[in-house]
Amino acid sequence: MALVLIGSFFLLLLLDVPVAASMGLSAAFGMLYGGFGLSSVATVFYSAIAKFTMLAIPFFILAGVVMEYAGISKRLVRLANAFIGHKKGGLAVVTVVASCFFAAISGSGPATVAALGGTLIPAMEDDKYDKKFATAVVAASGGIGMVIPPSIPFVIYAMITEVSIGGMFIAGIIPGLVLGAAFAITAILILRKDANIVVRPKASARERWNALKDAFWGILSPIIILGGIYGGFFTPTEAAGVAVVYSLFVGMVIYKEIKIKDLPKIFKKACESSAVIMFIMGAAGAFSWILTTSGLAGILSRGLLSVSSNDAVLLLLITIIFLIAGCFVDSASGFYLLLPIIMPVVNSIGMNPYAFGVLATINFAIGQITPPVGSNLFVACNMADISMKQLVSRVWPFMIAGVIALLVMTYIPQIITFLPHIMGMI
């Protein structure tokens, strides 16, 4: 069974078959080999996505697309620029700060890059920033979208491990800010000796107030979503629906940048993104099912535990596994592929499942700026019209900063669990 399942998976990857299709096909081969019958593939595929909590994913995706069309991103950039844009390298820090704000709306790394890159990359070029560096900052900062709630990977992780989505959301706030701080400090250190950068004049109090008023409705979105969840007004799935209604209201009534004629293309874009994620989850769910049912996951878990009896060593080994996986697969595929193997190990060393979920997500966030399958890199390259090779040469300092932040939180998990414990979420 191991040879059929794992062997066919890696063979299909070598043949350049997409990861989701490789997982689905290898799961089908494994089920046929195990005597389950071909009809089991459809049943397991459907059961992996036919869950009420899964509705949160297409709704959050739709809310993010609507907010993008509503002009939220440019207002958030203007707000951040008004407060910190006058510092040397301030526009790079503005990129990180704006990404943190937009992450709390979109919940997606590539969506954050797409929404902010079109505004910020040209703006940094105008201020004499190196174009490759500007693109690297946008690509790296987009990964924060996976960590700051509402986060689509958090929803997937919570569904697989049966932990609270609300608990995952609150656990991701401080780590997301830590990751943002790591990227901002890295940008400042890189730019500190660059004499070509134009320093913008300091915004007046009136300009700051106007920027705050203009961005107010965008800032209010995550407050409504998270406040509603933690206040007990609605579940995370219902919150996703509320986010869609609110974003449409802001875009069509408040900012008036969305017209009725724009709705078809907005829904089309959201449907395409949702369909891709749901297909990945269905195929990955089938792979995970046969991996667990065949007993292979248990064998691999016990093999991993036998490597060392030292919890610190096991944590480092798990981190390396997730970092490597993040270089090749997206978070949804990675969770379904690795969690059946890794979670027994995590439970055996007594690690908090919420802390581990955040750390695993950060691994995949770093993977979004790591070749060869860094989704943020591809989006940023297309927006800036530069090659992958040029971008990778400038993004590696942010990869290192992300890994350092990850390791700090891995061995000091109280950074992650502090806020949820205070709020009684975990």
Side-chain angles (χ1 to χ4, degrees), residues 28-88:
F29 296 151
M31 289 181 190
L32 288 172
Y33 181 81
F36 291 100
L38 196 58
S39 61
S40 300
V41 179
T43 302
V44 176
F45 186 103
Y46 177 75
S47 64
I49 58 176
K51 298 175 181 178
F52 178 72
T53 53
M54 286 293 98
L55 286 174
I57 294 176
F59 277 133
F60 276 132
I61 289 174
L62 177 57
V65 174
V66 173
M67 285 293 188
E68 179 185 342
Y69 277 83
I72 295 293
S73 57
K74 64 183 180 183
R75 288 174 169 84
L76 293 175
V77 169
R78 180 187 170 201
L79 174 64
N81 212 13
F83 281 87
I84 56 178
H86 61 282
K87 304 287 186 180
K88 184 172 182 179

Side-chain angles (χ1 to χ4, degrees), residues 348-370:
S348 72
I349 62 178
M351 187 172 190
N352 185 289
Y354 293 92
F356 177 72
V358 172
L359 293 171
T361 302
I362 293 174
N363 274 288
F364 287 113
I366 296 171
Q368 287 191 327
I369 56 171
T370 307

Side-chain angles (χ1 to χ4, degrees), residues 303-311 313-314 317:
L304 188 58
L305 281 168
S306 68
V307 171
S308 174
S309 58
N310 188 299
D311 291 354
V313 173
L314 286 173
L317 182 59

Side-chain angles (χ1 to χ4, degrees), residues 170-406:
I170 198 69
I173 294 176
I174 293 179
L177 297 177
V178 169
L179 194 62
F183 290 156
I185 292 170
T186 301
I188 291 171
L189 291 175
I190 293 172
L191 297 170
R192 69 188 187 282
K193 294 182 180 179
D194 193 335
N196 297 319
I197 295 176
V198 175
V199 179
R200 295 181 177 232
K202 186 176 182 179
S204 65
R206 183 177 183 83
E207 288 173 327
R208 291 180 176 182
W209 173 246
N210 288 335
L212 180 61
K213 285 196 300 181
D214 197 31
F216 171 77
W217 294 98
I219 297 172
L220 195 60
S221 176
I223 295 174
I224 291 174
I225 295 170
L226 299 179
I229 293 172
Y230 304 132
F233 295 103
F234 35 72
T235 67
T237 304
E238 293 165 344
V242 171
V244 172
V245 175
Y246 177 80
S247 58
L248 283 171
F249 173 78
V250 171
M252 300 182 75
V253 179
I254 304 298
Y255 293 147
K256 299 181 180 178
E257 295 205 19
I258 296 178
K259 311 299 180 185
I260 296 293
K261 65 180 182 180
D262 297 323
L263 293 180
K265 62 182 178 183
I266 289 174
F267 286 116
K268 180 176 180 289
K269 184 175 181 179
C271 285
E272 289 173 348
S273 299
S274 299
V276 169
I277 292 178
M278 289 302 179
F279 178 80
I280 290 171
M281 292 180 63
F287 187 91
S288 176
W289 183 86
I290 189 63
L291 187 69
T292 304
T293 303
S294 66
L296 185 56
I299 294 171
L300 294 173
S301 297
R302 290 189 292 273
L304 188 58
L305 281 168
S306 68
V307 171
S308 174
S309 58
N310 188 299
D311 291 354
V313 173
L314 286 173
L315 274 175
L316 181 61
L317 182 59
I318 291 171
T319 299
I320 293 172
I321 291 171
F322 271 88
L323 279 174
I324 294 173
C327 296
F328 298 95
V329 300
D330 60 276
S331 58
S333 301
F335 281 150
Y336 276 102
L337 177 65
L338 294 173
L339 289 180
I341 301 169
I342 300 297
M343 284 311 295
V345 180
V346 171
N347 294 331
S348 72
I349 62 178
M351 187 172 190
N352 185 289
Y354 293 92
F356 177 72
V358 172
L359 293 171
T361 302
I362 293 174
N363 274 288
F364 287 113
I366 296 171
Q368 287 191 327
I369 56 171
T370 307
V373 194
S375 54
N376 284 10
L377 297 182
F378 284 104
V379 176
C381 283
N382 289 333
M383 300 198 72
D385 194 24
I386 62 175
S387 69
M388 179 68 77
K389 183 178 179 180
Q390 290 176 308
L391 181 54
V392 170
S393 67
R394 301 306 301 271
V395 82
W396 66 265
F398 297 99
M399 293 165 52
I400 293 174
V403 171
I404 292 172
L406 170 66

Side-chain angles (χ1 to χ4, degrees), residues 58-181:
F59 277 133
F60 276 132
I61 289 174
L62 177 57
V65 174
V66 173
M67 285 293 188
E68 179 185 342
Y69 277 83
I72 295 293
S73 57
K74 64 183 180 183
R75 288 174 169 84
L76 293 175
V77 169
R78 180 187 170 201
L79 174 64
N81 212 13
F83 281 87
I84 56 178
H86 61 282
K87 304 287 186 180
K88 184 172 182 179
L91 202 51
V93 179
V94 165
T95 301
V96 177
V97 173
S99 294
C100 290
F101 275 116
F102 197 80
I105 297 171
S106 70
S108 166
T112 303
V113 174
L116 299 177
T119 300
L120 285 164
I121 294 174
M124 282 190 272
E125 279 191 275
D126 290 342
D127 285 0
K128 308 302 180 185
Y129 287 74
D130 176 74
K131 185 178 183 179
K132 296 186 289 294
F133 170 82
T135 310
V137 174
V138 172
S141 301
I144 301 170
M146 293 180 63
V147 185
I148 290 185
S151 161
I152 293 171
F154 283 173
V155 176
I156 298 171
Y157 174 87
M159 186 201 69
I160 296 173
T161 58
E162 298 182 347
V163 298
S164 163
I165 296 176
M168 285 301 304
F169 281 0
I170 198 69
I173 294 176
I174 293 179
L177 297 177
V178 169
L179 194 62

